[in-house]
Amino acid sequence: MKKIRSIICIVVIAFLIVACENSSSISDTVFNCFKEKNFSEINSLFCDKSKESHNLEEEFNVAIQFIDGEITTSNPKIVLINSGESIDNGIVTRSDKIYQICDIKTDTGKTYEILFHMYTSNDDESKIGITNILLIDSETNQEIRMGDNLKK
């Protein structure tokens, strides 16, 4: 019985480590796409539904123009703000997360935050991926949105 508990604990810990690395990787990718002004990579992270309903390239260009100066932060703080699941008859039908990338500084002294929502699973597969990104000026709270809030 102790061996079974130990094995279960090891599997759970391994799963959590992989999940944390995966989410950190996605957050790092989002941050680096803004820092390097790389639309094609950030576009690949968006869900099909947002790609179909928005001109993400235009919205990304507006977001890049919104940033005053060049991003100088190299290792921002990343916070998982919220995560949730919907379960129907014991089956996960939807799993989503909201991340915040904090204290993004530029060479002009401005500070920004990036928040993004993503579905990691959904019974509507066209919603799997990033649904929307908010770029926020930390001083004025003015924001630019890419994509759509598909939680409606």
Side-chain angles (χ1 to χ4, degrees):
M1 191 66 160
K2 283 185 176 182
K3 285 184 180 182
I4 291 173
R5 281 190 213 153
S6 296
I7 290 171
I8 290 172
C9 285
I10 289 170
V11 169
V12 168
I13 290 170
F15 175 77
L16 290 174
I17 289 171
V18 169
C20 288
E21 287 176 359
N22 186 34
S23 63
S24 176
S25 173
I26 292 169
S27 298
D28 287 340
T29 301
V30 168
F31 168 73
N32 286 324
C33 287
F34 277 95
K35 185 173 183 174
E36 298 164 7
K37 302 173 182 157
N38 183 343
F39 170 72
S40 61
E41 189 167 2
I42 203 164
N43 187 55
S44 71
L45 300 174
F46 270 90
C47 69
D48 291 340
K49 197 79 133 178
S50 287
K51 288 178 186 178
E52 292 167 5
S53 62
H54 285 262
N55 184 339
L56 294 175
E57 185 169 18
E58 183 178 304
E59 291 176 0
F60 182 73
N61 289 333
V62 169
I64 292 299
Q65 294 300 316
F66 177 72
I67 298 171
D68 183 14
E70 298 295 319
I71 295 174
T72 57
T73 302
S74 58
N75 196 14
K77 180 180 175 185
I78 297 170
V79 179
L80 173 63
I81 293 177
N82 193 8
S83 67
E85 291 182 334
S86 294
I87 300 173
D88 187 17
N89 293 322
I91 298 172
V92 176
T93 58
R94 182 175 61 216
S95 176
D96 67 329
K97 299 178 183 322
I98 300 173
Y99 292 95
Q100 180 179 19
I101 306 171
C102 308
D103 299 322
I104 301 169
K105 301 205 181 296
T106 68
D107 58 4
T108 62
K110 298 284 283 183
T111 305
Y112 299 88
E113 298 174 23
I114 297 171
L115 282 89
F116 68 95
H117 172 263
M118 67 180 298
Y119 284 110
T120 54
S121 66
N122 195 305
D123 50 359
D124 178 353
E125 290 186 9
S126 69
K127 292 182 178 180
I128 296 175
I130 293 177
T131 60
N132 67 77
I133 296 176
L134 283 178
L135 174 63
I136 303 168
D137 182 317
S138 298
E139 296 164 22
T140 66
N141 288 324
Q142 185 179 3
E143 59 186 48
I144 299 293
R145 179 185 298 271
M146 290 179 62
D148 197 5
N149 182 355
L150 300 175
K151 290 188 134 189
K152 298 175 187 174

